Amino acid sequence: MSIQLAESEFKILGCFPVICQLRPYLESAKFVEQVRYQMKEGYKLAFLEVEQQAVAVAGFRISTSLASGKLLYIDDLVVDEFKRSNSYGKQLFQWLIEYAKNHDCKHLSLDSGVQQFAAHRFYLMQRMSITSHHFSMEL
Protein backbone atom coordinates (compact mmCIF):
# COMPACT_ATOMS: atom_id res chain seq x y z
CA MET A 1 0.00 0.00 0.00
CA SER A 2 1.27 3.47 -0.87
CA ILE A 3 -0.06 7.00 -1.30
CA GLN A 4 1.37 9.14 -4.07
CA LEU A 5 0.58 11.95 -6.45
CA ALA A 6 -0.64 10.94 -9.90
CA GLU A 7 1.60 12.84 -12.28
CA SER A 8 2.01 10.56 -15.29
CA GLU A 9 -0.77 9.95 -17.79
CA PHE A 10 -0.77 6.29 -16.73
CA LYS A 11 -1.24 7.12 -13.02
CA ILE A 12 -3.90 9.77 -13.73
CA LEU A 13 -5.87 7.34 -15.89
CA GLY A 14 -5.49 4.70 -13.16
CA CYS A 15 -7.51 6.97 -10.84
CA PHE A 16 -10.43 7.21 -13.26
CA PRO A 17 -12.34 4.03 -12.22
CA VAL A 18 -12.50 5.31 -8.64
CA ILE A 19 -13.10 9.01 -9.23
CA CYS A 20 -15.91 8.35 -11.71
CA GLN A 21 -17.85 6.76 -8.84
CA LEU A 22 -18.02 10.25 -7.33
CA ARG A 23 -18.20 12.09 -10.66
CA PRO A 24 -20.14 9.71 -12.97
CA TYR A 25 -20.48 12.30 -15.74
CA LEU A 26 -16.72 12.23 -16.42
CA GLU A 27 -15.57 10.57 -19.65
CA SER A 28 -12.44 8.45 -19.58
CA ALA A 29 -11.36 9.75 -23.00
CA LYS A 30 -11.25 13.33 -21.67
CA PHE A 31 -10.20 12.65 -18.09
CA VAL A 32 -6.42 13.00 -18.45
CA GLU A 33 -6.81 16.18 -20.50
CA GLN A 34 -9.16 17.68 -17.88
CA VAL A 35 -6.85 16.78 -14.99
CA ARG A 36 -3.82 18.19 -16.87
CA TYR A 37 -5.73 21.44 -17.46
CA GLN A 38 -6.64 21.71 -13.79
CA MET A 39 -3.03 20.94 -12.80
CA LYS A 40 -2.02 24.16 -14.54
CA GLU A 41 -4.25 25.88 -11.96
CA GLY A 42 -2.69 24.03 -9.02
CA TYR A 43 -4.86 20.89 -8.88
CA LYS A 44 -3.19 17.72 -7.64
CA LEU A 45 -4.46 14.15 -7.72
CA ALA A 46 -3.40 11.79 -4.93
CA PHE A 47 -4.25 8.13 -4.69
CA LEU A 48 -3.89 5.24 -2.32
CA GLU A 49 -2.74 2.16 -4.19
CA VAL A 50 -3.18 -1.45 -3.11
CA GLU A 51 -1.76 -4.23 -5.27
CA GLN A 52 -1.04 -1.73 -8.08
CA GLN A 53 -4.61 -0.48 -8.15
CA ALA A 54 -5.99 2.87 -6.97
CA VAL A 55 -8.58 2.25 -4.25
CA ALA A 56 -8.96 5.81 -2.91
CA VAL A 57 -8.48 9.11 -4.76
CA ALA A 58 -8.34 12.75 -3.71
CA GLY A 59 -8.20 15.80 -5.92
CA PHE A 60 -7.06 18.94 -4.13
CA ARG A 61 -5.39 22.32 -4.43
CA ILE A 62 -3.58 24.75 -2.18
CA SER A 63 -4.72 28.36 -2.25
CA THR A 64 -4.93 31.43 -0.09
CA SER A 65 -8.02 33.40 0.90
CA LEU A 66 -8.78 36.34 3.15
CA ALA A 67 -11.18 34.15 5.14
CA SER A 68 -8.82 31.24 5.83
CA GLY A 69 -5.29 32.21 4.90
CA LYS A 70 -3.34 29.41 3.23
CA LEU A 71 -5.48 26.30 2.90
CA LEU A 72 -5.68 22.92 1.27
CA TYR A 73 -9.06 22.54 -0.42
CA ILE A 74 -10.26 19.03 -1.28
CA ASP A 75 -12.22 19.03 -4.54
CA ASP A 76 -12.72 15.27 -4.73
CA LEU A 77 -12.39 12.48 -2.17
CA VAL A 78 -13.66 8.99 -2.86
CA VAL A 79 -12.94 5.37 -1.93
CA ASP A 80 -13.81 2.59 -4.37
CA GLU A 81 -17.29 1.39 -3.38
CA PHE A 82 -16.05 -2.23 -3.30
CA LYS A 83 -13.09 -1.39 -1.05
CA ARG A 84 -14.79 0.70 1.64
CA SER A 85 -14.51 -0.10 5.38
CA ASN A 86 -10.79 -0.86 5.06
CA SER A 87 -9.59 2.49 6.47
CA TYR A 88 -8.38 3.61 3.03
CA GLY A 89 -10.35 6.85 3.23
CA LYS A 90 -8.98 7.60 6.68
CA GLN A 91 -5.41 6.90 5.57
CA LEU A 92 -5.74 9.15 2.52
CA PHE A 93 -7.39 11.86 4.61
CA GLN A 94 -4.53 11.74 7.14
CA TRP A 95 -2.05 11.97 4.25
CA LEU A 96 -3.85 15.11 3.04
CA ILE A 97 -3.60 16.63 6.53
CA GLU A 98 0.14 15.96 6.62
CA TYR A 99 0.56 17.32 3.09
CA ALA A 100 -1.25 20.50 4.14
CA LYS A 101 0.89 20.90 7.25
CA ASN A 102 4.08 20.29 5.25
CA HIS A 103 3.02 23.08 2.88
CA ASP A 104 2.31 25.54 5.72
CA CYS A 105 -1.47 25.46 5.32
CA LYS A 106 -3.50 26.72 8.26
CA HIS A 107 -6.77 25.08 7.17
CA LEU A 108 -8.07 22.07 5.29
CA SER A 109 -11.57 22.32 3.86
CA LEU A 110 -14.02 20.75 1.46
CA ASP A 111 -17.62 20.96 0.34
CA SER A 112 -19.86 17.92 0.44
CA GLY A 113 -23.21 17.44 -1.27
CA VAL A 114 -26.12 17.64 1.16
CA GLN A 115 -27.18 14.11 0.18
CA GLN A 116 -23.80 12.54 1.09
CA PHE A 117 -24.75 11.37 4.60
CA ALA A 118 -22.08 8.65 4.83
CA ALA A 119 -19.42 11.15 3.78
CA HIS A 120 -20.65 13.62 6.40
CA ARG A 121 -20.33 10.98 9.12
CA PHE A 122 -16.80 10.25 7.92
CA TYR A 123 -15.79 13.94 7.97
CA LEU A 124 -17.24 14.44 11.45
CA MET A 125 -15.35 11.35 12.66
CA GLN A 126 -12.18 12.95 11.28
CA ARG A 127 -12.88 15.91 13.61
CA MET A 128 -13.94 18.29 10.86
CA SER A 129 -16.49 20.95 11.72
CA ILE A 130 -19.42 22.19 9.69
CA THR A 131 -18.45 25.85 9.43
CA SER A 132 -20.60 27.31 6.65
CA HIS A 133 -23.31 26.81 4.08
CA HIS A 134 -22.23 26.69 0.46
CA PHE A 135 -24.46 28.54 -2.00
CA SER A 136 -24.24 28.28 -5.78
CA MET A 137 -26.15 28.88 -8.99
CA GLU A 138 -25.77 27.67 -12.52
CA LEU A 139 -24.96 30.35 -15.04
Side-chain angles (χ1 to χ4, degrees), residues 26-132:
L26 293 175
E27 299 175 27
S28 63
K30 297 178 182 177
F31 182 65
V32 173
E33 179 183 347
Q34 179 65 36
V35 169
R36 288 277 191 227
Y37 178 80
Q38 289 178 216
M39 284 178 162
K40 292 177 187 173
E41 300 176 337
Y43 182 81
K44 299 193 180 306
L45 194 61
F47 65 99
L48 187 149
E49 183 178 62
V50 175
E51 298 176 1
Q52 299 181 334
Q53 182 179 16
V55 298
V57 177
F60 66 97
R61 64 191 75 236
I62 292 177
S63 65
T64 305
S65 73
L66 292 175
S68 300
K70 191 171 183 183
L71 70 130
L72 186 147
Y73 181 81
I74 301 171
D75 294 273
D76 318 288
L77 180 59
V78 61
V79 176
D80 185 309
E81 62 187 336
F82 300 109
K83 306 285 184 177
R84 292 187 183 147
S85 299
N86 289 303
S87 297
Y88 298 141
K90 183 176 182 177
Q91 290 174 58
L92 184 54
F93 192 81
Q94 290 302 313
W95 184 92
L96 290 163
I97 291 170
E98 288 305 312
Y99 189 95
K101 288 178 180 178
N102 291 336
H103 288 82
D104 300 317
C105 295
K106 301 301 178 206
H107 289 91
L108 180 141
S109 65
L110 57 83
D111 289 320
S112 182
V114 295
Q115 76 286 3
Q116 300 285 353
F117 302 116
H120 301 165
R121 280 192 302 276
F122 173 79
Y123 301 137
L124 291 169
M125 287 175 30
Q126 304 311 306
R127 298 183 9 213
M128 292 191 85
S129 299
I130 301 170
T131 58
S132 66

Side-chain angles (χ1 to χ4, degrees), residues 5-12 36 39 44-45 47:
L5 292 174
E7 296 173 322
S8 70
E9 184 172 322
F10 178 76
K11 296 286 187 183
I12 293 168
R36 288 277 191 227
M39 284 178 162
K44 299 193 180 306
L45 194 61
F47 65 99

Side-chain angles (χ1 to χ4, degrees), residues 14-29:
C15 293
F16 180 77
V18 178
I19 208 159
C20 75
Q21 293 175 28
L22 178 65
R23 313 276 184 231
Y25 48 83
L26 293 175
E27 299 175 27
S28 63

